[in-house]
Amino acid sequence: MTSPDTGGDREKVVTKLTSTLRQDLKVRAALHGLDMQDAVEAGITAWRGLGAALPSVDTGDAESYSTFLPSGLWDGFRADCKKRGISLTQGIAQAVTLWLADNPVPEVKRPAIVRRIVVCNQKGGVGKTAITAGLGEALAEDPAALVPVRVSKHFAALLDTGEGRTDPLALEDLPGLGQRVLLVDFDPQGHLTKQLGQEPLPMNGDSLTNHMAGEGKGDLRELVVTVDEDRFGGRLHLLPACTDAFLLDVRLASVRAREAALERALRAVESDYDVILIDCPPSLGLSMDAASYYGRRRTNEVAGNSGVLIVVQAEDSSADAYGLLTSQIEDMRGDLALDIDYLGLVVNHYDARRGYIATSSLQSWMDIKDPRVVGVIGDLKEQKEAVRAKRPLLAYAPRCEQSVALRALAREISK
């Protein structure tokens, strides 16, 4: 059945399509940046050009499906189906199947130089660990599946809703980013390790601290574990913490070129990943120097590929801590002539219902501009529930407000 499309030269077509083909078509069209109707048009055009019917497709559970096609295309397709002795339902199934075969899932774009994202703030309790984990999860999601994302242009709406969240309808389904991600728990407290359901490394074994001190007992790869959730497809890994990191600053004091110690240790695994995220301790010691140095811009690396991501809260004490941290980073920049890029500010645990302090503080962060606010993450229950369940947030509650915002953050700093 057809009906005219008053908005242009297309006509509405009502046919039948299986739920599996419809979902595959929706995802694949999005991956290629196409409207579904354009993909169907291309499939029908290619099918008609073959001059013969393709192998039969199972259409047993086909349901009503409508789309818009150029005027006249459906009539020609109907005539071809009749000539080939097949139903319209079978014909459209073959056309969509043909388009899917001709348009496979695009390869994920890999960075020329591994991205190194240093998540930091010397103030404890701002949620660095949750941001590190959530950002890594968002970067690693399935590139052949669609996930809900809220784009960054809606940040400003937080100042107007009075509810601590943006319009729930302002979402867009986008493909997962499909990056190979290593999360490094650089905090001796081991919150990232425990949050993801893993155990800290034993004190009498090998650790990142040993490798940074030049006393590694084996291959660093042997310490890495996979975050075992289907939606990450084996792309999300963790280098667990060890409580020996409490002694890291003392051990680094006697290490040659100690600011490069983290880079020397992680160089062995860099080729395995697209992105490495460092969950820093709440400290301004030598370990923070090593993390900042690791995030510096390398030779031939484009600006903004790597750098520091600062997590703050919408309250006054975060501003004081931010000043201390940026002073240390600026000192490193000047003393060692380094290019250390600020990837942005993430305002975490935001809830406008806390009143003027929260809203005015958020506005103050947004007024800074350099570094700019790249994410606003609400203070909602799902994150706490995921920590209790020892599961990644984006696997525990993939459609919650925090998951949606973390995906937006991943895309904002990947531009």
Side-chain angles (χ1 to χ4, degrees):
M1 183 179 76
T2 65
S3 61
D5 172 20
T6 58
D9 59 353
R10 289 178 177 265
E11 57 186 4
K12 184 177 181 180
V13 173
V14 180
T15 182
K16 288 186 175 182
L17 196 63
T18 66
S19 58
T20 299
L21 279 178
R22 184 183 310 194
Q23 180 64 19
D24 289 347
L25 175 65
K26 177 182 179 182
V27 172
R28 197 71 57 82
L31 291 174
H32 287 275
L34 296 173
D35 288 332
M36 289 176 67
Q37 64 183 18
D38 295 326
V40 173
E41 176 188 345
I44 288 176
T45 302
W47 180 89
R48 296 184 69 193
L50 292 177
L54 293 171
S56 180
V57 177
D58 183 6
T59 60
D61 64 344
E63 300 174 346
S64 179
Y65 171 72
S66 62
T67 187
F68 288 92
L69 296 175
S71 181
L73 180 62
W74 187 250
D75 289 339
F77 177 63
R78 185 198 306 271
D80 285 347
C81 288
K82 186 175 181 180
K83 288 178 183 178
R84 299 179 191 183
I86 62 174
S87 67
L88 281 170
T89 301
Q90 180 62 214
I92 196 69
Q94 290 183 11
V96 170
T97 300
L98 176 61
W99 185 84
L100 290 170
D102 289 343
N103 295 271
V105 174
E107 291 188 8
V108 175
K109 185 179 179 181
R110 307 293 179 192
I113 299 176
V114 62
R115 299 189 68 200
R116 300 158 328 278
I117 301 175
V118 178
V119 184
C120 55
N121 193 330
Q122 65 93 18
K123 183 180 185 297
V126 296
K128 295 185 295 295
T129 296
I131 297 301
T132 304
L135 177 56
E137 293 160 25
L139 288 165
E141 283 187 302
D142 188 353
L146 298 182
V147 293
V149 181
R150 193 183 315 286
V151 293
S152 61
K153 65 184 179 182
H154 298 290
F155 288 166
L158 285 163
L159 296 173
D160 302 321
T161 63
E163 297 179 354
R165 59 182 184 273
T166 57
D167 178 2
L169 299 179
L171 296 177
E172 185 175 359
D173 284 335
L174 297 175
L177 296 174
Q179 300 288 291
R180 301 168 301 176
V181 178
L182 175 64
L183 304 173
V184 177
D185 194 343
F186 199 42
D187 187 342
Q189 298 174 88
H191 293 315
L192 178 61
T193 300
K194 298 167 188 174
Q195 185 175 126
L196 294 175
Q198 302 295 327
E199 292 296 324
L201 297 170
M203 279 287 288
N204 59 351
D206 204 2
S207 66
L208 176 60
T209 299
N210 286 337
H211 283 263
M212 290 180 65
E215 300 172 2
K217 301 178 182 180
D219 189 337
L220 191 68
R221 285 188 177 90
E222 296 175 358
L223 304 180
V224 174
V225 296
T226 301
V227 178
D228 189 17
E229 293 280 355
D230 290 343
R231 71 185 305 109
F232 308 125
R235 291 177 295 273
L236 183 62
H237 294 172
L238 169 72
L239 178 54
C242 180
T243 52
D244 66 356
F246 280 116
L247 303 174
L248 179 58
D249 280 10
V250 174
R251 296 178 70 178
L252 284 180
S254 59
V255 171
R256 176 186 58 83
R258 55 180 178 259
E259 68 278 354
L262 181 59
E263 180 163 319
R264 288 195 297 267
L266 293 179
R267 189 177 294 142
V269 300
E270 284 188 352
S271 61
D272 298 336
Y273 300 100
D274 302 312
V275 185
I276 297 177
L277 290 106
I278 311 297
D279 182 26
C280 291
S283 165
L284 293 178
L286 298 180
S287 56
M288 187 61 221
D289 281 344
S292 299
Y293 184 88
Y294 186 60
R296 81 194 187 287
R297 194 189 315 163
R298 294 178 179 176
T299 303
N300 298 324
E301 185 173 15
V302 298
N305 186 66
S306 300
V308 295
L309 184 67
I310 303 175
V311 182
V312 298
Q313 288 181 301
E315 41 81 32
D316 295 339
S317 62
S318 267
D320 297 334
Y322 167 78
L324 293 171
L325 174 63
T326 53
S327 292
Q328 179 173 356
I329 293 172
E330 292 305 317
D331 285 346
M332 281 205 70
R333 272 177 152 180
D335 293 346
L336 299 179
L338 303 177
D339 289 319
I340 301 176
D341 294 327
Y342 291 104
L343 301 181
L345 300 170
V346 180
V347 182
N348 196 27
H349 297 161
Y350 180 73
D351 187 346
R353 293 171 297 183
R354 292 175 180 150
Y356 175 74
I357 294 296
T359 57
S360 62
S361 294
L362 174 60
Q363 185 63 65
S364 296
W365 290 121
M366 296 182 75
D367 288 343
I368 290 177
K369 306 303 182 186
D370 185 20
R372 63 192 178 91
V373 172
V374 292
V376 179
I377 313 298
D379 187 11
L380 302 169
K381 64 183 178 63
E382 287 84 0
Q383 175 63 48
K384 299 177 180 67
E385 292 173 352
V387 171
R388 173 66 64 87
K390 295 186 177 180
R391 291 190 64 197
L393 172 65
L394 272 68
Y396 176 81
R399 301 191 67 85
C400 77
E401 285 287 321
Q402 289 158 314
S403 294
V404 168
L406 286 162
R407 294 189 187 103
L409 170 62
R411 284 158 175 79
E412 187 67 19
I413 66 171
S414 298
K415 289 179 178 179

